[in-house]
Amino acid sequence: MDLPVWQSLYEELKDDGFTVLAVAMDSRGAEAARPWIEQANPGYDCLVDQEHHVAELYNMVNVPQAVWIDEEGRIARPTEVAGSSDGFRAMDRNDFSIPDAEAEKIAQGRAVYLDALRDWVAKGEASEFVSQGDDVRARQAQPDETIALANANFRLGQHLQRHGNAAEGIGFLREASRLRPESWNFWRQTADLDEVGKSGGPEFWARVEALGDDHYYAPVDMPGMPR
């Protein structure tokens, strides 16, 4: 979901103790993310995670993804897609329109997710949408050796990029994406730093089409969420 949606929810619920902390994952740094943040003019804090520490810590592979964290700093709902879906894949790329049926599903999914957040703010740990204890641990994907190696390649690639060795750096970034192909964050940042392509161009759509029946956004396990 875009920043204005979060701004609206923040304004609605801020007096009930709810806040939003938005994190832009952009290897190009604050200046690349600044125009988007300034255009939205949010009332909540927006950070830029150039090193992708947040993605690594919470095992995030795409945007937008979210983690619900309560007043005690405990995860109330682990990393998942934040109200978005694969409906965008039905978009007409000439006029950017989306078929009515898909647009309705997108709107429904967003409404379900926002209503779940409202329920959590109102009821706390009594909300049916909250995970606790072992359930949080079971639902939070854990990094394995391959993911750790992908993270190391990504970090080294970024370091080389920023210190004048772009050619070698892009090789490590590509290797990170190869090791962890499900990470659209890795691929997107690599494409934006690579001279051969941009993350929003034809290369992106070709990669989406290559998914076939696999998901771009993993479905959110939440009552009422359209399938």
Side-chain angles (χ1 to χ4, degrees):
M1 290 184 288
D2 54 20
L3 292 178
V5 172
W6 291 115
Q7 176 64 26
S8 178
L9 191 70
Y10 168 71
E11 291 291 343
E12 175 187 341
L13 300 176
K14 64 181 180 180
D15 291 340
D16 296 317
F18 173 78
T19 193
V20 175
L21 179 61
V23 182
M25 297 177 191
D26 200 317
S27 298
R28 297 167 298 175
E31 291 309 309
R34 184 185 303 278
W36 303 93
I37 297 172
E38 290 183 345
Q39 182 178 1
N41 192 30
Y44 51 83
D45 290 330
C46 291
L47 308 179
V48 180
D49 184 11
Q50 186 171 1
E51 303 287 345
H52 287 228
H53 287 310
V54 173
E56 185 172 331
L57 288 170
Y58 290 98
N59 207 24
M60 294 176 170
V61 297
N62 209 340
V63 292
Q65 288 190 302
V67 179
W68 298 8
I69 301 175
D70 69 14
E71 298 89 337
E72 305 299 324
R74 296 173 299 199
I75 294 176
R77 194 170 176 95
T79 303
E80 63 189 353
V81 177
S84 294
S85 73
D86 275 10
F88 79 95
R89 294 173 68 174
M91 178 189 299
D92 184 317
R93 295 173 207 170
N94 293 314
D95 62 11
F96 304 108
S97 63
I98 295 177
D100 290 345
E102 287 298 331
E104 184 176 341
K105 287 175 63 176
I106 292 171
Q108 181 185 349
R110 176 176 294 187
V112 168
Y113 190 82
L114 295 178
D115 283 344
L117 272 167
R118 294 183 179 100
D119 190 80
W120 173 47
V121 172
K123 300 177 182 177
E125 63 181 21
S127 170
E128 66 173 309
F129 301 103
V130 167
S131 299
Q132 298 182 17
D134 291 341
D135 186 42
V136 169
R137 286 184 283 273
R139 295 180 59 186
Q140 180 69 51
Q142 300 298 318
D144 58 17
E145 184 175 328
T146 300
I147 291 175
L149 183 59
N151 289 339
N153 273 272
F154 188 76
R155 190 174 297 177
L156 180 56
Q158 288 184 306
H159 175 82
L160 291 168
Q161 279 272 344
R162 288 197 296 273
H163 290 83
N165 197 339
E168 187 176 2
I170 204 68
F172 283 99
L173 294 174
R174 289 173 180 165
E175 177 63 5
S177 187
R178 186 194 70 80
L179 287 166
R180 198 174 188 194
E182 73 275 16
S183 176
W184 287 85
N185 284 337
F186 280 176
W187 181 85
R188 187 179 296 109
Q189 300 308 309
T190 301
D192 281 340
L193 292 171
D194 197 340
E195 294 180 358
V196 302
K198 293 296 182 182
S199 63
E203 295 84 0
F204 168 78
W205 286 108
R207 198 168 189 267
V208 169
E209 289 169 355
L211 289 171
D213 292 333
D214 292 339
H215 288 286
Y216 175 80
Y217 286 128
V220 176
D221 182 13
M222 180 177 284
M225 192 65 67
R227 300 298 180 185

